[in-house]
Structure formats: structure tokens, C-alpha cells
Amino acid sequence: MQNEFVESRKSEFAELKSYIDSVKSSQGILMQTLQKAQDIFGYLPLEVQQFISKETNIPLADIYGVVTFYTQFTVEEKGKHKIGVCLGTACYVKGSQEIMDKLSEELNVKVGTTTEDRMFTLEATRCLGCCGLAPVMMIDDDVYGKMEPKRVHEILKKYRN
Ligand code: FES
């Protein structure tokens, strides 16, 4: 019986297959293929890893090893909006943990996980390079500086609508 995920993502698998066919004859294609697959699917579930293994003849264990080693890859589906709270030193001393706690409470999720409705993924980040605005939070490409826990609710509202 065909897997439900594979059935529902046929066009994405076809796109990945044509990409693999185009690079197959080159050396060292695993990283670029995984990156492409993540761009297409948004994440790398087991079904996608199995497909890559079959199409490239690279053992699944090797693929899994690379996917779990590099933080740029994820095996879990992300939410529609990605929230990153900077826990770099400048932000941390200015209270970014409190921002994180408030988000966690508002969204009812732990850090590193996604809300049940798949709207938000909450993550901790390293220094975002704008320490003058500490504490800093990002939602997708929007930067929120000098954050305070009391602003969290209003800001989230914009993305919920
Ligand atoms: S420490 Fe947060 S932006 Fe630099």
C-alpha cells in the first residue's frame, strides 16, 4: 500500500526526482540534494530520505546521519510562521528568556516545537547581529527589537489573522 504522505505529495516527489536525475552523474551530490529536497518539502521526513536513498543509491543510514548532524536540516514539519528568540549574550542579559517564556505560554509549545495548528514554530537563535536592539525576536523576516513580554500577545495577533 502506498504511503499517504507519498500519495499526497506526488508533484513534489516528481520535482525532486527530476532534480536528482539532473545531478546524478556528479560527485558529492548528497548535501545539495538534501537542501533541494528541504526547499521543496519544507522538511525532510523519513519518506523523503528513503526516496533520495533509492534514487541516488546512497544508504539510508548515511543520509540520516547527515540530516541529523547538520542543523540546517530538519526532520519535523515547521509551522507557517517561524519565531526566533535570540538567546545570544546581549539579548539574554536584557531578558530574552522572559520573552521566550511568554511566547511558550501564549502558544502552548515548548522551544523547538510547532503549535498543533501548524501556525508557529518557536525556536531559540544565536546572535542575530543587531544587539543594539536587544532583546530581539524575529517572526519570519520581521525583526522586533527592545522586546517586552507584554508586547507578545499583540504581535502574535497580526500573524494569527
Ligand atoms: S545577542 Fe541578540 S542580537 Fe546579538
Side-chain angles (χ1 to χ4, degrees), residues 86 88-91 127-131 136:
C86 176
T89 311
C91 287
C127 176
L128 293 165
C130 44
C131 311
V136 181

Side-chain angles (χ1 to χ4, degrees), residues 102-157:
K102 181 70 183 168
L103 281 159
S104 196
E105 180 196 312
E106 279 271 336
L107 298 169
N108 197 22
V109 285
K110 289 195 193 126
V111 182
T113 63
T114 299
T115 55
E116 248 177 53
D117 60 6
R118 300 252 155 240
M119 278 294 278
F120 299 100
T121 297
L122 180 61
E123 290 176 336
T125 72
R126 297 191 194 145
C127 176
L128 293 165
C130 44
C131 311
L133 296 176
V136 181
M137 162 179 106
M138 278 194 81
I139 302 186
D140 303 327
D141 294 327
D142 304 330
V143 177
Y144 295 93
K146 309 228 181 268
M147 268 302 292
E148 294 172 86
K150 64 177 187 225
R151 289 174 60 203
V152 164
H153 184 77
E154 278 306 304
I155 292 173
L156 286 179
K157 245 191 192 170

